[in-house]
Amino acid sequence: MLRNAAVNASRFSRSKKSRISKGITVPLVNVKPRQPVSTAAKAILEPVFVSLTPCLKRGRWDPRPGDNVAVLEPTVFKHPIRRDILHLCVTHHLDSLRQGSANTKTRGEVRGSGIKIRRQKGSGKARLGDGQSPMLRGGGIAFGPKPRDFSTKLPRKVVEMGMRIALSSKLKEQRLGVMTRLYWPCAKTKPLAMKIDQLGLRKTLFVTGSATVHEGLRRAIQNIPLVNVTTADQLDVYEVMKWDRVILDLKGVEYFEKLLKKRNVPTVPVHLLPSEAPSAISKQISEELPSV
């Protein structure tokens, strides 16, 4: 017994030593050194220039629309168009408008006696229970609608992207305008309607970046058909896509740029552009494109 144990121990020691290599082994995984990750440089976006729309009531210090242009943030007003995101945002808004108040009574909620109508057998007719059966007239409704919530959830970043796409699509279709301010001195509807017809701004939604709409403008515009005014914080993607034309004031532009601007995208500062660039672009816009 002792001899057999010694033989087995010697065999185990020899087999264990044979499995251990004498030199330093190189691992089979990640033999080659890793190459540094190279990221492609992002394109530098240039600002978007839009000719100013004549104001409803030009003030003394307001700039002339023909000689000036509005400089817009490209990450907000020059976003790639994606119809799927617009569809998600519009569906999300319409779902939130559904009341979901439809309600029907089941057989347990219909008023009436629970007595059996006729005996089970012997009458030659079908077997029936109480009068609240869904098979009888005046009975309950089987699988009828009940009050429910139709609203759907959508991430905040998707909603913000939808607003960028909606504004960019309006600008691409030449249906987005910029005014220096939205102001009307009196609450008279007839002069404002004549001014809107003179500028060709029917079927237009006016958006201001102020907390409230100017009282004179609000009272005068509410009696004009196919025209409306709202604030920037109440605007959504559905309203932008619904209206044929959208007019922003400078405060509204600042509001959307502050809310929707992308921080990690390089853009060309305005002061680095040639001094004649805005005027040349303004002249080109006024010659080629109709003023919005």
Side-chain angles (χ1 to χ4, degrees), residues 122-185:
S123 63
K125 298 181 180 181
R127 49 194 174 186
L128 292 175
D130 54 9
Q132 293 82 15
S133 174
M135 296 185 297
L136 300 179
R137 181 172 180 174
I141 303 297
F143 308 107
K146 287 291 184 180
R148 53 172 293 191
D149 185 13
F150 286 94
S151 62
T152 55
K153 294 183 180 180
L154 200 63
R156 176 182 56 85
K157 291 187 178 181
V158 178
V159 177
E160 292 179 354
M161 184 187 296
M163 182 59 71
R164 294 191 195 99
I165 297 172
L167 296 174
S168 302
S169 64
K170 287 297 181 182
L171 182 61
K172 187 176 181 180
E173 296 171 359
Q174 304 171 14
R175 298 185 181 274
L176 180 70
V178 178
M179 286 184 177
T180 55
R181 60 174 178 168
L182 291 175
Y183 167 77
W184 192 247

Side-chain angles (χ1 to χ4, degrees), residues 42-153:
K42 296 182 179 180
I44 301 178
L45 302 180
E46 296 183 357
V48 183
F49 297 94
V50 179
S51 59
L52 290 177
T53 304
C55 295
L56 300 176
K57 186 67 175 179
R58 184 171 178 268
R60 182 178 180 182
W61 306 107
D62 292 339
R64 294 183 179 181
D67 301 337
N68 297 273
V69 295
V71 183
L72 305 181
E73 175 65 29
T75 59
V76 178
F77 295 93
K78 201 176 180 181
H79 195 281
I81 307 301
R82 289 188 56 180
R83 298 180 61 183
D84 56 338
I85 301 297
L86 293 178
H87 179 266
L88 287 176
C89 296
V90 171
T91 305
H92 169 70
H93 176 75
L94 295 179
D95 288 343
S96 63
L97 298 181
R98 299 186 64 177
Q99 293 183 355
S101 59
N103 187 18
T104 56
K105 292 184 178 181
T106 61
R107 65 182 302 167
E109 299 171 343
V110 176
R111 183 179 179 182
S113 175
I115 190 173
K116 189 174 175 63
I117 294 179
R118 54 175 175 261
R119 58 181 181 173
Q120 183 78 359
K121 294 178 178 294
S123 63
K125 298 181 180 181
R127 49 194 174 186
L128 292 175
D130 54 9
Q132 293 82 15
S133 174
M135 296 185 297
L136 300 179
R137 181 172 180 174
I141 303 297
F143 308 107
K146 287 291 184 180
R148 53 172 293 191
D149 185 13
F150 286 94
S151 62
T152 55
K153 294 183 180 180

